[in-house]
Amino acid sequence: TINIMIDGIETKVAKGTTILEAARDLDIHIPSLCYLKGVNHSSSCRVCVVEVGPRLIASCTLKAEEGMKIQTNTKKVREARKTSVELLLSDHDRECLSCSRSGGCELQTVSNDLNIRTVTYVGEKSNQEKDYTSPSIYRDASKCILCGRCVGACGTMQTVGAINFAKRGFDTVISTAFGRPLEESTCVNCGQCIMACPVGALTEHENINDVWNALENTSKYVVVQTAPAVRVALGEEFGLPVGTRVTGKMVAALRKLGFDKVFDTNFGADLTIMEEGTELISRLNSGQNLPLMTSCCPGWVKFMEHNFPDRLDNLSTCKSPHEMEGAMVKSYFAKKMGIDPKNIIVVSIMPCTAKKFEGAREELSNESMQDVDWVLTTRELAAMIKEAGIDFVNLKGEAFDSPIGEGSGAAVIFGATGGVAEAALRTVFEITSGKDLETIEYTAVRGMDGIKENVIELPNGQKIRTAVVHGLGNARKLMEAMERGEKTYEFIEVMACVGGCITGGGQPIVDARTSERIDIKAERAKAIYTEDEAQTVRKSHKNPYIKALYDEFLGTPNSHLAHELLHTHYVK
Ligand code: HC0
Ligand code: SF4
Ligand code: SF4
């Protein structure tokens, strides 16, 4: 350990600890902007400066040394911090009132905290164009403060590197390669750059008005479905603690917004398990295209298309759960209700920005109708609820509609890393053994290790070696280990976002300071597993609505009709 003194308080810290971290452990708050734990340590904003002897040093990169004496609150420190923030404000597009991050913007917080009342400097504003080209991500460089947090998320964490610093000195910008539109870059739409951005420079490509218009259109029947991860995060937008489950309130709010039916994507998740489980069993028997890789994460699918195109046949042919559900709404449900599917609009509420891109893919349509018409993020849903003046926190819980509404516990865990694998194993084991399992929790695939492994043996002696990865950086590592022949699996679950969809790019944004204090992933995951335990049906193949769907409409899993409506194929 190392002995240091911060503001006259003696403390011991481990070697390698930064002064910023040491101060936070003493509850001394040093403001910062560019620092994001585990993602970015560039010390570029210089807001976190402290005084050490005669010098002002950025505390986020300053490592503790024996005997170091640090002052965090002197006139010199306060003035230097103010100057740094004022310089950032001088060329910033300060349209706070109409900015989507207003209220949650870290630049706003820091300048308020530092009592900045006037901006003395006049800087030149960015002349980079606003980029609306991507169906998922919207980038507005006039709000960018060049902190580099998005670059850390996209490059270091996701190993995509779609955006990076370009040019130098006063001309420095964040840009795609050759300044091309985001749509034409290597971006996979995961939205992790949005989650990292402290200001309003990166947001989702909004579709709120498209959905309002659909709801206004009396000739349309508008169906909404909600992803597993939304229910454990939406409450945060209304001030509820991280990890609060708001399933019933969410359903009630959607009814108030005017949707004709409120369905649960969990039904689609159960359906995916039936189809993908059957696909796994048949690949195990034929030995072809193993390992089977999940394809429900559109960020991962696009990452594969860009980086490992020769492996595309390993992807499951299953559409993702909300796409399957959209397809069922426009066929099974439409038929049952006697509605022309052309008059149905399917809206998916997702924790994800990549789902916007996925929704528009031509591989995910049927008879020239998209399976899903609009995708809104958790944040956009919150915005609509606020716009409609609904008192969300005080809503009474309501239940999803039938016959497509109900999902099992196996489905809800899709929202956390390892959930799809666990749900699949619950079903595949029982289907092949014909026995009911007592213990259905596969804890080896739970938790936040980057790469998790599990082996189960089926009654016929076949082994399923499973790997679960989350975060594209981890996915790349696993793929490379497989290419080198170091690893062999039969089944792989990949989610592009670290933690899985619970921390997807469309979820409520948590500022850097809060995310250091609260383990967001762990809290939301805990809520997901509690929701699973609360269900009476916890295995996909036991969901009575799924059984009815096969009996009344699809026949058997992987049947001809199931293939036509529920499967697709991604090609090079
Ligand atoms: Fe996910 Fe999904 S679990 S991708 O992570 O598979 O977005 O929550 O909706 O479709 O079900 C996201 C979350 C989903 C889908 C499901 C899967
Ligand atoms: Fe990179 Fe993901 Fe942002 Fe695209 S959406 S720029 S891949 S972090
Ligand atoms: Fe979207 Fe989930 Fe994939 Fe993230 S992990 S890109 S939230 S589907």
Side-chain angles (χ1 to χ4, degrees), residues 21-322:
E21 290 162 344
R24 287 186 183 176
D25 285 343
L26 292 175
D27 290 327
I28 295 172
H29 175 62
I30 299 176
S32 64
L33 273 175
C34 66
Y35 172 74
L36 185 59
K37 200 174 177 185
V39 174
N40 195 44
H41 306 254
S42 63
S43 77
S44 62
C45 76
R46 298 197 52 84
V47 172
C48 68
V49 288
V50 292
E51 227 180 311
V52 185
R55 297 206 298 147
L56 283 173
I57 309 178
S59 61
C60 66
T61 45
L62 177 64
K63 299 258 164 66
E65 280 172 27
E66 186 58 39
M68 200 180 245
K69 287 194 174 66
I70 301 112
Q71 298 286 334
T72 75
N73 176 23
T74 61
K75 185 161 187 271
K76 198 165 143 190
V77 162
R78 288 194 305 271
E79 278 174 0
R81 288 178 185 166
K82 272 194 184 179
T83 305
S84 297
V85 175
E86 274 194 62
L87 280 171
L88 288 175
L89 292 174
S90 71
D91 58 5
H92 189 78
D93 176 18
R94 299 195 297 278
E95 294 285 343
C96 295
L97 291 183
S98 52
C99 179
S100 68
R101 284 297 295 278
S102 200
C105 168
E106 295 181 37
L107 180 61
Q108 212 175 37
T109 308
V110 166
S111 40
N112 266 317
D113 285 356
L114 293 176
N115 280 316
I116 293 172
R117 294 288 170 256
T118 48
V119 180
T120 2
Y121 313 100
V122 186
E124 208 174 304
K125 304 247 159 75
S126 158
N127 55 10
Q128 257 182 299
E129 274 181 42
K130 299 188 195 331
D131 188 345
Y132 284 103
T133 58
S134 158
S136 298
I137 314 288
Y138 165 56
R139 214 169 78 80
D140 176 359
S142 68
K143 304 264 185 191
C144 175
I145 59 169
L146 298 173
C147 66
R149 279 161 54 164
C150 59
V151 174
C154 189
T156 316
M157 186 167 85
Q158 298 293 54
T159 66
V160 171
I163 45 177
N164 211 333
F165 285 102
K167 304 190 190 150
R168 273 191 236 166
F170 281 115
D171 294 328
T172 306
V173 287
I174 304 244
S175 168
T176 56
F178 311 110
R180 277 201 296 258
L182 204 53
E183 163 77 336
E184 292 166 26
S185 73
T186 53
C187 170
V188 303
N189 305 304
C190 67
Q192 288 306 308
C193 50
I194 298 175
M195 306 314 275
C197 180
V199 294
L202 286 153
T203 50
E204 64 269 77
H205 186 133
E206 260 185 32
N207 293 111
I208 294 176
N209 286 332
D210 300 302
V211 174
W212 280 132
N213 289 341
L215 288 168
E216 289 297 315
N217 187 338
T218 46
S219 64
K220 297 289 179 192
Y221 193 92
V222 191
V223 170
V224 69
Q225 57 170 321
T226 63
V230 175
R231 68 205 66 193
V232 297
L234 178 63
E236 293 167 35
E237 292 281 334
F238 300 92
L240 295 170
V242 179
T244 309
R245 292 188 288 147
V246 294
T247 317
K249 290 184 195 296
M250 173 183 74
V251 173
L254 289 164
R255 283 217 179 88
K256 281 195 186 297
L257 287 175
F259 289 100
D260 294 298
K261 286 279 181 216
V262 184
F263 288 152
D264 193 349
T265 305
N266 289 6
F267 175 91
D270 281 329
L271 188 54
T272 302
I273 289 302
M274 298 306 291
E275 294 295 321
E276 197 161 323
T278 309
E279 186 183 23
L280 176 59
I281 294 166
S282 67
R283 287 201 200 183
L284 284 172
N285 291 337
S286 72
Q288 273 173 356
N289 294 331
L290 288 171
L292 172 74
M293 298 178 185
T294 57
S295 61
C296 49
C297 166
W300 159 239
V301 170
K302 192 150 189 259
F303 185 78
M304 281 280 280
E305 292 176 318
H306 290 168
N307 298 285
F308 304 97
D310 295 336
R311 284 282 196 164
L312 284 174
D313 285 342
N314 288 87
L315 286 177
S316 163
T317 60
C318 291
K319 292 180 182 175
S320 71
H322 84 115

Side-chain angles (χ1 to χ4, degrees), residues 281 425-437 442 457-460 541:
I281 294 166
L425 295 177
R426 286 183 192 177
T427 285
V428 167
F429 189 87
E430 287 201 2
I431 287 188
T432 51
S433 68
K435 282 194 222 110
D436 279 5
L437 279 182
Y442 291 86
E457 195 172 323
L458 298 180
N460 67 2
H541 58 288

